[in-house]
Amino acid sequence: MDTNDLLKQVAFIKEIDKLKYIQRRTRLFESDRHENDAEHSWHLAMMAVVLAGHSDKPVDILKVVQMVLIHDLVEIDAGDTFIYDTSKNHTNTEEELVAAKRIFGLLPEKQAQEFLAIWEEFEEGSTHEAKFARAMDRFEPLLQNTSNKGGTWAEYDVEYHTVYNKKKAIKDGSASIWNYAERLLNESVEKGILRKDKNIKD
Amino acid sequence: MDTNDLLKQVAFIKEIDKLKYIQRRTRLFESDRHENDAEHSWHLAMMAVVLAGHSDKPVDILKVVQMVLIHDLVEIDAGDTFIYDTSKNHTNTEEELVAAKRIFGLLPEKQAQEFLAIWEEFEEGSTHEAKFARAMDRFEPLLQNTSNKGGTWAEYDVEYHTVYNKKKAIKDGSASIWNYAERLLNESVEKGILRKDKNIKD
């Protein structure tokens, strides 16, 4: 690699520092302190490495780790979208694609294309790696909310079935983690930290 | 993997949340806000992936990423040690080893041994992976300090030769990054944000 490449990479390294200022709705474990996107991304990378053995399919774990490390970088431009915000579409928005192209575009061209492809693969969610990475992204806030008396579920009055529908993406990555996650959801209803509307059919 | 393993892994995932509360002396880019260890670890993992092509030797990049993700976990028990604190030894201390055994010991036994070995390999600094990982750990605060009018060098009045001696570990991982780092150090002296004592021979 030449010096010109290194200068571009350093510009990218400086730019992504901004991820540390993007606040999430979720809070740290047993805490009132909101988590930021850089902390979240680190935690998902740790979870991916630790829980790799639970993936139902063989996965390239480096690819999974890269996905979770970069998956929220677009929020530097586009901002954090709360998963239970019904006014916003959570699919890969035009705004996020523009952000991805700008941010990854700081890198040398070949590397920019590689990172963009990894980000798009995560957003698409079709490959084994993307499914496992997305399972991690759903599992972390579930653990946080159960440690925080319902956390964002209680704070924004989100009903069990809505949570369940979001969380079942975990099933696409790991049967054993999903089995545990489902148990946590049921326990949360029993404890009264997750509201279950009986008029909605299971 | 069985449920018992998963419960241990979840206990570990919750415990390491504490890394987000460990403040470093360094500050974010062009900022007064201190960085915490989880943010730092995420940034090093991103740097390792982005800068892998600059490693002088072929490296297992997943191993490097694992090293930087976990390298500061011992600080949950042992606290952050400032690199320019002359009253403390920065080699692998007994206190850190006890911390590593406790924290990694939350994981299933085989995995605990694997993580402990990766952490020890990083601390030892002999393998190509450890050298490149340690280069990342030296390079990030150099970039931060130059963006913050000298940052911790100015704040704690650290002299050029002391900084140079710490930073030259970058050379063991990457000639091209070291070449750039050396230039940044010289520019910092010229700009007056890093004090150089002329009585000390180069």
Side-chain angles (χ1 to χ4, degrees), chain A residues 9 20 36 39 43 54, chain B residues 9 13 20 36 39 43 54:
Chain A
Q9 288 159 335
K20 299 167 189 169
N36 70 53
E39 295 168 333
H43 220 144
H54 293 279
Chain B
Q9 288 158 336
I13 288 163
K20 298 167 191 170
N36 70 52
E39 296 168 332
H43 219 143
H54 293 279

Side-chain angles (χ1 to χ4, degrees), chain A residues 106-134:
Chain A
L106 295 170
L107 289 165
E109 194 175 338
K110 188 165 165 285
Q111 201 167 34
Q113 292 307 319
E114 286 166 7
F115 274 69
L116 192 63
I118 292 172
W119 176 75
E120 285 177 331
E121 184 178 330
F122 174 84
E123 287 293 313
E124 180 76 26
S126 312
T127 64
H128 299 327
E129 282 77 13
K131 284 175 183 168
F132 192 67
R134 294 172 75 92

Side-chain angles (χ1 to χ4, degrees), chain A residues 1 9 13 16-17 20-21 29 31 33 35-36 39 42-43 49-50 54 61-62 66 69 111, chain B residues 1 9 13 17 19-21 29 31 33 35-36 39 42-43 49-50 54 61-62 66 69 111:
Chain A
M1 294 232 176
Q9 288 159 335
I13 288 163
I16 64 174
D17 197 57
K20 299 167 189 169
Y21 296 97
F29 285 90
S31 172
R33 211 262 268 164
E35 187 180 41
N36 70 53
E39 295 168 333
W42 167 78
H43 220 144
V49 170
V50 167
H54 293 279
I61 195 65
L62 176 59
Q66 285 176 305
L69 287 174
Q111 201 167 34
Chain B
M1 292 231 175
Q9 288 158 336
I13 288 163
D17 197 57
L19 198 68
K20 298 167 191 170
Y21 296 99
F29 285 90
S31 172
R33 212 262 267 164
E35 187 179 40
N36 70 52
E39 296 168 332
W42 167 79
H43 219 143
V49 170
V50 167
H54 293 279
I61 195 65
L62 176 60
Q66 285 176 305
L69 287 174
Q111 200 167 36

Side-chain angles (χ1 to χ4, degrees), chain B residues 40-56:
Chain B
H40 165 64
S41 302
W42 167 79
H43 219 143
L44 296 195
M46 285 298 306
M47 289 171 66
V49 170
V50 167
L51 300 175
H54 293 279
S55 175
D56 290 335

